Amino acid sequence: MAGQSKRPMRLDEFLTVAEAAELLGVSASTLRNWDRAEKLKATRHPINGYRLYNKAELEKLMNRMRKRS
């Protein structure tokens, strides 16, 4: 929408690939594959371009995974 600005990125709301992989119990390669397959969306760090995963989105994914098992 015109005139609305995005909320600034808060890096404390995100995890690195390694941190997210450990949290989910999968490999970093699996997370990268999920990102390429658009199963789990990564955000890019504004300076270095590394993948970052939103903590809230990871928690939602973990809850869905728990419900299936």
Side-chain angles (χ1 to χ4, degrees):
M1 291 184 179
Q4 284 187 336
S5 62
K6 282 185 168 181
R7 184 177 80 114
M9 180 182 225
R10 293 195 38 166
L11 293 178
D12 63 335
E13 295 175 356
F14 294 85
L15 296 177
T16 65
V17 171
E19 293 167 334
E22 184 176 343
L23 178 70
L24 295 174
V26 299
S27 71
S29 295
T30 295
L31 281 183
R32 290 183 191 99
N33 288 334
W34 288 353
D35 184 25
R36 282 190 287 274
E38 299 181 1
K39 292 181 179 181
L40 181 62
K41 178 82 171 106
T43 299
R44 295 294 180 151
H45 189 284
I47 296 173
N48 60 28
Y50 292 170
R51 285 179 175 91
L52 297 173
Y53 293 92
N54 183 282
K55 290 178 187 178
E57 291 300 315
L58 294 175
E59 303 238 346
K60 288 178 190 176
L61 175 61
M62 288 186 351
N63 287 334
R64 286 193 309 261
M65 290 168 60
R66 282 188 202 118
K67 288 179 182 177
R68 289 183 181 175
S69 45

